[in-house]
Amino acid sequence: MTNNQEKKFYEKTPAERRAILGKKFGLSADELKAMAADARPEGAQMVENYLTDYRLPEGVVTGLVVNGKEYTVPMAIEEPSVIAAACNGARMTAYAGGVTAEKADRLMIGQVVMENIANPYLYRNHLLKQKDEILKIANDAYPSIQQYGGGAVGIRVRCPEDFVVLDLLVNVVDAMGANTVNTMAEAVGRWLSSKGQTVVAAILSNYATDSLQSVSVALEFPDVATDQMKGADVAARIADLSFLAQVDSYRAATHNKGIMNGIDAVLIAAGNDWRAVESGAQAYAAMEGQYRGLATWHVVGDKLIGKMTLPMAVGTVGGSIGARQLTATNAKISQIKSVPELAAVAASVGLVQNLAALRALASTGIQEGHMKLQYRVVAMRVGATAEEAGPLADRLAHLDHVDEDVSKEELSKLRKEQGHD
């Protein structure tokens, strides 16, 4: 490249990009300095046009019991009430002996999609008869996975509308597995193309129905009682709200959002592709043709029974997991050693998150606890220091009406009382 040739934006350094954007959009020196302070060399290797790291607060849910083992689980999320709710749900379920997580298969799905097949169902049978050859082609494309006990282990062939879809079932062991599955699917796709087939796509599916994780818990009525309501009444209302999420998609969306609040936050802290798990979970919620709540709660005798099943294609190695030191530190904190364990714990956090939300909704309402924490965010937004945020939030919680002007006024009063103004 000659000196008079201007580098393209993606070819510039992060510092050069920040300077360009600063000039173009009028960013202040303080804003640019903050961006530079949060930038790290590794980031430029992870995403295109890298500027800086966008950080999320990280906390832990404590006292979560899954299959008899107690966990402290890192969660990364900006929403104030999520970790508090997870801790509350973990506490309630711990009284009942904790969450039970079933052992499950861990297979990823690679799709090889074909069209213009004269007789799709006849061709389906033809492909099934070539299973061994197809698996060999797939495994030869990524032989290293077999050293760890993984590899392509099976196929399915489906005929949705005018397509023929070959599903390649792959054991990716402890990895998230996207690269492995895509490599194998593309190899099979090339082989089918060489046979004269029109291959539309060869790529993994995030609808990981061969990596389903089921979790359940049985609570005594006193475990969910509040100061205002008996446990039996709370349990009955939780069951009613659960049923509503099965028949009303509008309620189901919020029901599931709370579940994914917990799961996504765990997976972000674990360095996983939380978007893949989120998309699979949302698809699974609509698998019967109507979008439904993922977790269900029923009163059975004198117990409240909660159950949930959803796809959990997670990993403990590969992808961006090894790119951040904090991910490794989080693994030490959680003491999660395997993919099945991570899937079980993440799903369990989702279930206890849902329990805490439904209990609040069934008794005091969702806003009381949520706003206590939200007021801290409001306090920081109007200029409170870290030391002032707590006291200001307490003041705001006792007011009938809170907005930005009121918050600023209360902050001014607080500082005057403390002799800081």
Side-chain angles (χ1 to χ4, degrees), residues 148-161:
Y148 302 97
V153 297
I155 66 169
R156 286 192 299 254
V157 184
R158 299 177 292 109
C159 301
E161 297 293 338

Side-chain angles (χ1 to χ4, degrees), residues 170-185:
V170 184
N171 176 3
V172 294
V173 198
D174 289 330
M176 285 187 282
N179 290 334
T180 303
V181 174
N182 285 336
T183 299
M184 289 183 171

Side-chain angles (χ1 to χ4, degrees), residues 38-228:
D38 284 341
R40 59 195 177 96
E42 301 93 327
Q45 307 305 316
M46 297 177 68
V47 299
E48 189 84 346
N49 292 339
Y50 177 77
L51 298 174
T52 186
D53 277 9
Y54 185 92
R55 298 187 180 184
L56 291 174
E58 179 178 304
V60 293
V61 56
T62 57
L64 177 72
V65 177
V66 181
N67 290 339
K69 179 179 175 180
E70 183 173 332
Y71 291 89
T72 298
V73 188
M75 300 174 68
I77 190 167
E78 84 293 346
E79 189 171 328
S81 60
V82 169
I83 296 177
C87 290
N88 189 22
R91 175 186 56 78
M92 285 187 282
T93 55
Y95 290 148
V99 179
T100 298
E102 297 179 9
K103 292 183 179 180
D105 292 332
R106 302 287 166 198
L107 299 178
M108 292 286 287
I109 301 169
Q111 292 187 291
V112 184
V113 185
M114 292 156 281
E115 64 179 358
N116 300 326
I117 305 297
N119 190 325
Y121 290 95
L122 183 64
Y123 187 62
R124 171 185 179 274
N125 293 333
H126 173 69
L127 287 175
L128 290 173
K129 290 177 181 178
Q130 298 183 82
K131 171 185 173 181
D132 291 342
E133 186 172 2
I134 291 170
L135 292 179
K136 183 178 186 305
I137 291 166
N139 284 318
D140 285 348
Y142 210 106
S144 61
I145 192 72
Q146 296 174 74
Q147 300 174 14
Y148 302 97
V153 297
I155 66 169
R156 286 192 299 254
V157 184
R158 299 177 292 109
C159 301
E161 297 293 338
D162 296 327
F163 298 98
V164 173
V165 181
L166 188 155
D167 289 336
L168 190 66
L169 307 180
V170 184
N171 176 3
V172 294
V173 198
D174 289 330
M176 285 187 282
N179 290 334
T180 303
V181 174
N182 285 336
T183 299
M184 289 183 171
E186 288 177 359
V188 173
R190 287 191 295 272
W191 177 73
L192 289 168
S193 294
S194 72
K195 301 288 186 181
Q197 303 305 329
T198 303
V199 176
V200 178
I203 189 172
L204 88 161
S205 170
N206 290 126
Y207 191 26
T209 53
D210 290 86
S211 292
L212 296 177
Q213 179 63 61
S214 294
V215 289
S216 62
V217 66
L219 297 105
E220 305 284 348
F221 290 158
D223 296 333
V224 296
T226 70
D227 294 338
Q228 296 82 24

Side-chain angles (χ1 to χ4, degrees), residues 2 26 53 81 85 107 110 114 123 128 138-139 177 180 205 267 273 278 284 287 293 305 341 350 357 392 421:
T2 61
D53 277 9
S81 60
L107 299 178
M114 292 156 281
Y123 187 62
L128 290 173
N139 284 318
T180 303
S205 170
L267 296 182
D273 186 351
E278 174 88 31
Y284 194 73
M287 67 177 298
I305 308 296
E341 194 176 12
L392 179 56
D421 192 22

